[in-house]
Amino acid sequence: MTAAARPQSWRGPDRGMPLNRNAEAPDTQRLQHWCDDAEMREVDELMNVDDPAWPLLLQELSGSDVPVEVLPGDAATGRTSLLQLQVSARSSLGAIALNSGGLLVDGGWLRIFGSPGSADIERLPGLGEINKMPSTFDPAWRPGAGLIVAHDVLGGVFALNGGDPSAAGRPGEPGEIIYFAPDSLDWEGLGAGHSAWLSSMLFGGLREFYGSLRWDGWRSEVSALTGRQGLAFFPTLWSAEARQDLPATSRRAVPMAQLLGLSRDSCLQFDGTDPGFLGLP
């Protein structure tokens, strides 16, 4: 591919979350420790909080506008993830990491990562694997430009910004969810933190967010995939042909690592811009 103008996203004029990113558990602000020398907390302090987010989150999941499958979590892995991330069970991020193996939203279209047990690790990778977290606590570890919290079946990537997004060449504010869009091969700020983003996806935002990127029969195609697979389109999602007639594209299941690699390679071929780490080895 020769160098060319980067494509624009075609999912609609307003792709941000209609929610305030400041409406977060205060604990989210501790993600700043990724870029400074904040004092580390012990895992018991992170787990044993007065107002854990998980009970409220379970209520939200049960009333969601889209189906959600909660995978069983592994207690030891959840504790390790919580300790490494240094976020507490008061936050939605900490609650999912500690109490679940991840969430399969709307039939697996959206995959939100947690701490799966051995029986489910092949269905959906864990937060630690996706982000190359150390297997034992390492106070020096940082998730680079941000933490990958979810993938979608198209190869889209949701990441939680670290403490200095502009230095990493990414949009948004610290602690904001951003999205790597496979139809534009670029990062987009969503104007919401983790809790607000999750609530939006559960209550109407998911269908609005993807809009024209769905086609008749998508649900049966997605149901045949594991959480380690995505759909590769031909012509590609960012092509003029796909924009004109998405249902006419051909689609096949590929490993998610391959799909993300293709997106990263395409970015480099367009204008030499590296989108950075998108998750998985």
Side-chain angles (χ1 to χ4, degrees):
M1 180 192 302
T2 58
R6 184 179 292 275
Q8 299 296 310
S9 180
W10 48 288
R11 284 173 293 131
D14 183 9
R15 296 178 295 276
M17 300 291 99
L19 295 163
N20 181 358
R21 67 169 164 267
N22 295 318
E24 296 291 303
D27 190 71
T28 300
Q29 302 306 315
R30 285 193 56 92
L31 296 177
Q32 178 68 31
H33 91 276
W34 292 345
C35 298
D36 59 26
D37 295 321
E39 181 180 354
M40 297 289 175
R41 294 178 288 178
E42 297 296 328
V43 68
D44 287 344
E45 181 183 356
L46 297 167
M47 290 176 56
N48 301 321
V49 295
D50 293 333
D51 49 350
W54 187 242
L56 181 59
L57 184 53
L58 284 177
Q59 292 180 25
E60 282 194 287
L61 295 175
S62 65
S64 173
D65 291 343
V66 291
V68 181
E69 181 181 359
V70 182
L71 298 181
D74 179 77
T77 305
R79 289 170 60 94
T80 298
S81 296
L82 209 64
L83 180 62
Q84 189 65 69
L85 294 174
Q86 287 291 296
V87 295
S88 83
R90 294 177 63 231
S91 66
S92 58
L93 174 62
I96 292 171
L98 180 64
N99 296 285
S100 80
L103 310 177
L104 297 176
V105 183
D106 212 5
W109 180 281
L110 176 65
R111 298 90 176 260
I112 300 174
F113 305 116
S115 303
S118 57
D120 290 295
I121 197 69
E122 291 306 315
R123 291 190 65 197
L124 186 69
L127 195 63
E129 179 185 349
I130 287 290
N131 289 280
K132 297 184 180 179
M133 289 167 56
S135 57
T136 58
F137 177 62
D138 179 358
W141 180 82
R142 300 291 186 272
L147 187 79
I148 307 300
V149 297
H151 286 157
D152 63 40
V153 72
L154 307 175
V157 182
F158 293 91
L160 186 62
N161 267 340
D164 194 356
S166 61
R170 293 186 174 182
E173 302 295 329
E176 180 177 335
I177 293 287
I178 60 175
Y179 179 66
F180 178 79
D183 59 330
S184 68
L185 301 177
D186 209 356
W187 288 101
E188 305 172 356
L190 298 186
H194 187 274
S195 295
W197 163 76
L198 180 59
S199 292
S200 178
M201 286 289 138
L202 295 176
F203 295 98
L206 187 146
R207 294 189 178 99
E208 180 180 352
F209 186 80
Y210 290 102
S212 57
L213 280 173
R214 286 182 162 180
W215 60 97
D216 289 343
W218 68 264
R219 194 174 292 279
S220 63
E221 293 183 42
V222 172
S223 67
L225 305 177
T226 74
R228 291 179 174 271
Q229 295 176 309
L231 289 175
F233 286 70
F234 184 80
T236 58
L237 278 176
W238 44 262
S239 69
E241 293 86 351
R243 293 164 186 266
Q244 293 167 2
D245 192 355
L246 181 67
T249 60
S250 63
R251 297 166 294 277
R252 64 186 179 92
V254 298
M256 183 60 73
Q258 177 182 331
L259 189 58
L260 298 176
L262 288 172
S263 290
R264 194 170 185 179
D265 289 345
S266 297
C267 288
L268 292 169
Q269 292 179 54
F270 264 114
D271 55 15
T273 300
D274 189 348
F277 183 64
L278 300 176
L280 294 170

